[in-house]
Amino acid sequence: ETGVTQTPRHLVMGMTNKKSLKCEQHLGHNAMYWYKQSAKKPLELMFVYNFKEQTENNSVPSRFSPECPNSSHLFLHLHTLQPEDSALYLCASSPMAGTGALGANVLTFGAGSRLTVL
Amino acid sequence: GDSVTQMEGPVTLSEEAFLTINCTYTATGYPSLFWYVQYPGEGLQLLLKATKADDKGSNKGFEATYRKETTSFHLEKGSVQVSDSAVYFCALSDWSGEGGATNKLIFGTGTLLAVQP
């Protein structure tokens, strides 16, 4: 399988549940990203990982906990979420996150995980 | 901080009509500019990009020119098709952290384009 794959595609959870979103890329990229897409808002960058190290946390609440065990996999662990956290969560990857190389800032996105918090 | 403003949608056009989706940006440095497209049920895909002033990005009949004097990167297509129906996002690149340690994209809110046969 090629590209960026996200699972599950849809998730419904209660505010007391614990769940995880998974992202996997087969592009040989070294940087991975989580974005939140809400209706009528710009995409919000949540986290950036470069060579498995977190390089950006955009003031995300601690109820969202990212994990990057290797350059190909990225997780977003969810616990005690609020209804306003309902959104489409997009994972993306790029060749690298910290250089001036032209391809560094071209992101490849997954199809997203649609999260509904009841 | 850096930001992107694009026209609100939805934009509804008939097939073969001319398309313009406006995008303006605010940036302190010299960003690269992008248009991404999101088809229903899919993730965002890069449509075109421009890395410096006066560059023109083009792909699949779409064009956008990096205008530094007006801080704009408007998307155009001469003749739209039903298959172009999607959400279009304008974005700019930004560097943050020590020595520009983190490269990230800043997106606009997206513009929904609906093309009717």
Side-chain angles (χ1 to χ4, degrees):
Chain A
E1 196 170 340
T2 59
V4 179
T5 304
Q6 291 187 241
T7 54
R9 291 294 306 275
H10 299 274
L11 177 63
V12 179
M13 58 187 289
M15 289 190 285
T16 58
N17 292 158
K18 287 186 180 181
K19 297 286 184 184
S20 296
L21 306 180
K22 178 182 176 183
C23 177
E24 187 172 1
Q25 57 95 1
H26 302 274
L27 300 168
H29 290 169
N30 293 300
M32 296 189 78
Y33 309 75
W34 279 117
Y35 278 86
K36 177 182 178 182
Q37 185 179 13
S38 304
K40 300 191 186 302
K41 286 186 175 181
L43 268 72
E44 301 172 51
L45 177 66
M46 301 175 71
F47 302 102
V48 181
Y49 279 82
N50 196 28
F51 292 96
K52 302 189 299 179
E53 298 297 320
Q54 187 179 117
T55 57
E56 184 97 8
N57 178 337
N58 202 23
S59 302
V60 180
S62 59
R63 57 186 184 270
F64 295 92
S65 175
E67 179 190 0
C68 188
N70 54 61
S71 292
S72 299
H73 294 86
L74 184 65
F75 295 89
L76 188 63
H77 303 302
L78 316 169
H79 63 97
T80 59
L81 295 191
Q82 304 298 312
E84 60 265 29
D85 296 323
S86 298
L88 181 68
Y89 289 85
L90 292 167
C91 175
S93 69
S94 69
M96 280 186 271
T99 75
L102 196 59
N105 54 12
V106 176
L107 272 60
T108 301
F109 283 83
S113 293
R114 173 71 62 186
L115 173 66
T116 303
V117 181
L118 301 177
Chain B
D2 295 358
S3 65
V4 173
T5 303
Q6 58 182 109
M7 62 189 292
E8 286 194 29
V11 174
T12 304
L13 296 174
S14 298
E15 211 164 18
E16 299 184 3
F18 184 86
L19 168 71
T20 300
I21 300 179
N22 289 338
C23 172
T24 57
Y25 67 91
T26 302
T28 53
Y30 301 93
S32 295
L33 301 174
F34 305 82
W35 278 100
Y36 278 79
V37 58
Q38 184 178 32
Y39 297 103
E42 299 183 15
L44 279 71
Q45 304 173 25
L46 178 66
L47 180 60
L48 54 85
K49 66 177 181 179
T51 57
K52 61 183 187 297
D54 299 325
D55 269 2
K56 178 186 283 187
S58 61
N59 185 26
K60 300 181 181 179
F62 290 89
E63 293 183 341
T65 301
Y66 189 163
R67 301 282 188 204
K68 193 168 185 297
E69 64 276 12
T70 54
T71 61
S72 65
F73 193 55
H74 304 321
L75 182 68
E76 297 181 336
K77 186 174 185 182
S79 176
V80 294
Q81 305 300 313
V82 173
S83 57
D84 294 326
S85 298
V87 180
Y88 292 82
F89 292 88
C90 185
L92 65 82
S93 65
D94 184 28
W95 295 87
S96 66
E98 291 186 7
T102 299
N103 161 56
K104 60 184 182 183
L105 288 180
I106 296 171
F107 287 88
T109 54
T111 302
L112 173 63
L113 170 66
V115 180
Q116 298 175 339

